[in-house]
Amino acid sequence: MYMRIYNNQLVKVFTTEDLNSSEIISKIKGREPAGFTFRDKDDNIIFHNVDSKISSRELQLMIRKLKTTTIAIKLTNEEIIEYFYSIAKTQLLKHKQEEYSEEELFNWMNENMDSGILKSSVWDKSKAKVFNKLIEEDFTIIKNHT
């Protein structure tokens, strides 16, 4: 599984390998998807945009086409904050930093995730909450030197 930006939203994409797990299938049922893809008999990728929760019919179609299916699930605001927070905290610990500038943290995170995600409006909307959560964990933001 991996993360992507789709329609200005952060989505978690489950690959064919992920969808072999009945545990993952049960987790995505009833979630709000961005859509899913599968390959047809001519190896063309077919995208299905899904506007509401995944129905049993759509889930059955995915299972039948399992060998070539991926599905993208929209993340909740809480999941988005937790995603960015976990990456930020991991990078701060890796770099042994309790104090950091926004620019340093951005660069460290950018080394470990899709840069399109960090350049998206999703990060812009989330970063204040992520920074607050880091501050609650006793990490300190220092002013960028100009």
Side-chain angles (χ1 to χ4, degrees):
M1 97 188 70
Y2 56 92
M3 302 295 204
R4 285 287 180 257
I5 294 293
Y6 174 75
N7 282 345
N8 294 317
Q9 294 180 328
L10 186 62
V11 297
K12 184 183 288 187
V13 179
F14 294 92
T15 64
T16 299
E17 293 79 25
D18 300 322
L19 296 172
N20 280 321
S21 164
S22 59
E23 183 179 325
I24 296 223
I25 293 287
S26 67
K27 286 182 182 179
I28 64 173
K29 186 176 180 187
R31 293 290 305 263
E32 188 177 356
F36 66 95
T37 67
F38 64 87
R39 292 189 181 273
D40 67 10
K41 63 184 179 193
D42 297 322
D43 210 29
N44 298 312
I45 294 177
I46 308 298
F47 178 77
H48 286 271
N49 192 7
V50 182
D51 293 329
S52 59
K53 292 181 179 175
I54 299 172
S55 70
S56 295
R57 179 185 169 282
E58 290 162 335
L59 195 55
Q60 287 300 320
L61 178 59
M62 286 186 290
I63 291 168
R64 266 188 267 132
K65 304 280 188 180
L66 190 58
K67 290 181 181 157
T68 61
T69 299
T70 63
I71 183 163
I73 302 295
K74 296 175 187 174
L75 299 180
T76 65
N77 288 335
E78 294 79 21
E79 289 171 322
I80 292 168
I81 300 303
E82 189 56 38
Y83 170 70
F84 286 127
Y85 168 77
S86 66
I87 291 172
K89 184 175 178 181
T90 299
Q91 291 309 305
L92 291 170
L93 294 172
K94 176 182 172 185
H95 289 88
K96 297 177 176 40
Q97 297 287 315
E98 289 183 10
E99 293 185 352
Y100 58 94
S101 69
E102 282 188 39
E103 183 179 345
E104 285 175 313
L105 182 58
F106 181 90
N107 289 335
W108 295 332
M109 291 173 70
N110 196 35
E111 292 172 0
N112 292 281
M113 61 189 297
D114 183 326
S115 63
I117 294 173
L118 279 179
K119 294 176 182 175
S120 72
S121 61
V122 176
W123 168 245
D124 287 338
K125 292 175 191 171
S126 305
K127 68 181 174 181
K129 289 181 182 178
V130 172
F131 289 141
N132 286 338
K133 195 167 180 174
L134 289 167
I135 289 167
E136 288 172 7
E137 294 288 322
D138 294 326
F139 291 98
T140 305
I141 299 173
I142 55 175
K143 297 284 183 195
N144 287 335
H145 299 353
T146 53

